[in-house]
Every structure is written in structure tokens, then in C-alpha cells.
Amino acid sequence: MSDGPAILLTNDDGIDAPGIATLRTELTAFGDVTVVAPDANQSGVGRTRSHTARIREHPWGYRLSGTPADCVAYGLRGLETDFDVVVSGVNNGPNAGNYVVGRSGTVGAGIEAAFLGTPALAISAYHSTDFFLSPPEEYDFARPARIAGRLVSRALESGVYEDVDLLNVNAPVDASSPPVILTEPYHDYEQDVEPADPEALDDGEIDADGGELAADEQIVHLHDRTWPGVVGWENPFPPTDEHRERYPVGTDRRAMVDAAVSVSPLSMSHASPDSAALAEVVETIDVE
């Protein structure tokens, strides 16, 4: 038992992913780390919660048949430890931009922690040229893990979490001395909706009911255009003047164009804006 903070560690790539192993090693250097992580990959599930989950002991803590948010809920409310902070990651691939942050399982774990009253940090790794780390076993997560460890330690010591609920961090694995930039998630999102040919779809792409389509039914593709102009899995942040102009200085995506570490402070307060127009509308509503 150390004198350092009690840290709950989770991820969304699964407890057997290399990123969480590297991060656990880094965090145990200064804190008491308990791992509660998903049995299998849970990428992209956001803050989805389950009604039940199967829990098994693991040498690091526990593995759970659920989502990252389930893991955090179990760790903070199902264990007797009073955790000082929740750390999620290291994720295989970045989580940048307001839409991606909203659907990320890595960030979703941090959001769940914040709603349950415990500060959090979500750490994701990217490669400035390869972008996604695939296969992850061929990449070194040590630098993002070190950055997460230093941020967590100093944030707890300096009182950062008195004003901030969650730090969302994206760190490159291939830049030897990357600058660390205070950022905010870039605000963009677009959706393409296109009719699909049922004959060309695999069974897994059709809803669970399956069967023949009725006369008044159709199937559509719902494709989010998170990164404009990207084809396949190519890097949407090549270091070009075009991309530097697209993403403003101070955004997480611009930091990634420059192979930097982005640190975005987030709040879960959901503060209500002061709207005089809404107040006027509410006053005019009559209920009979």
C-alpha cells in the first residue's frame, strides 16, 4: 500500500489490450491501482450502461462483461475503495472532436466517473503518420502512458479537479518531445444518409428481425462524416497547410495535425444557459 492516490483504471479496448498494461505500470509508480476493465473490446459505446454484468477476478483487479461505464460504476459503487481519480486508456487511436468525444467508450468511462463524483482522465494514443495504431501490439504506448501519469499526479496535487471534471488527452506515440497544448474539442459533425441495396448487405448489417422487407420498408446507410475528405482508414490529420487552416489553433484536432499532446478540460455540470427568450415563452404557456 503506497501513500499515493487510489486510482481506478479502465479502458474500452479490453483488459487484454496492450495500452492498459503499459498505463497500469506507469500509474503504479506513484499510486495504488485497481483495474476494472471490460472482458472484450467496447470501442464506440460511449457512456452506455448495462443492467447486469458478469464479474471475474483478475490479477490486476476485475474483468467485467460490460461497458467501460459499467466498469466505472462497479469500481466506484461496488468496491469498498474510496478512489481519488479514474483513469481510462491508453486507447488505441485518438478521441478528438466533440462528436467523437461524445461516443467514445474511453471518454465515456471518464464521464461516468464525473457524474458519480470522481474526477477522471481519458488518455488516447495516435500516430501522426499512421493515425490508428493497427495492430496495436506493434506500437509503443509508453509515452502516452507517461504523459497520463504526469498529468494525473500534477492535476491532483495542484487542485485542477476543483474546477475540471474530466481531462481528455490525445498523445502521439511517434513524436519524441511533443509539445503539450491546452485545447478544446473541435466542433464539427455531419451525417450522410443513403439508400442501401438489401441484396448487397451481409446478414449482420440488417436489423435483428431480419426477414423480407415489407412494401413500406427500406434500408439506409447512416454514415458519419467525422473527418471530411478521408478515404478508408487514412490519416485525416496530415501535416499540410490545408489541414492547419481547417482546424483552428487551440482545438484538439489542430494539436494532432502538429503531432502535439492535446489536453481538453471538460465539465459535466450541464449548466443551464440564461435565456430571456425561453423565460418569456415559458410565461406564455397555459395548461388547461
Side-chain angles (χ1 to χ4, degrees), residues 39-62:
D39 253 337
N41 190 299
Q42 294 284 331
S43 296
V45 299
R47 194 174 150 245
T48 301
R49 287 288 316 281
S50 306
H51 291 295
T52 59
R54 181 184 297 246
I55 298 163
R56 287 183 291 162
E57 291 189 0
H58 184 276
W60 299 343
Y62 304 89

Side-chain angles (χ1 to χ4, degrees), residues 2 12 71 77 107 113 135 141 163 199 203 222 227 244 248 287:
S2 79
D12 76 353
C71 293
R77 294 295 184 267
V107 181
F141 290 86
D163 305 310
E199 301 297 328
D203 290 340
L222 303 172
W227 297 291
R244 284 194 171 90
V287 180

Side-chain angles (χ1 to χ4, degrees), residues 115-203:
F115 275 120
L116 290 176
T118 302
L121 180 143
I123 175 71
S124 302
Y126 72 96
H127 192 286
S128 65
T129 301
D130 301 340
F131 192 55
F132 285 105
L133 312 182
S134 181
E137 292 78 10
E138 296 184 4
Y139 294 85
D140 185 0
F141 290 86
R143 184 173 293 109
R146 284 197 300 272
I147 291 168
R150 292 171 185 174
L151 278 170
V152 165
S153 177
R154 296 177 189 178
L156 288 172
E157 292 173 356
S158 63
V160 166
Y161 285 120
E162 294 176 9
D163 305 310
V164 174
D165 296 319
L166 166 64
L167 296 175
N168 183 48
V169 184
N170 291 278
V173 297
D174 58 320
S176 58
S177 298
V180 181
I181 309 296
L182 185 62
T183 59
E184 65 177 26
Y186 181 67
H187 300 282
D188 71 331
Y189 176 60
E190 188 51 77
Q191 182 79 206
D192 287 336
V193 179
E194 301 173 349
D197 178 5
E199 301 297 328
L201 297 176
D202 297 330
D203 290 340

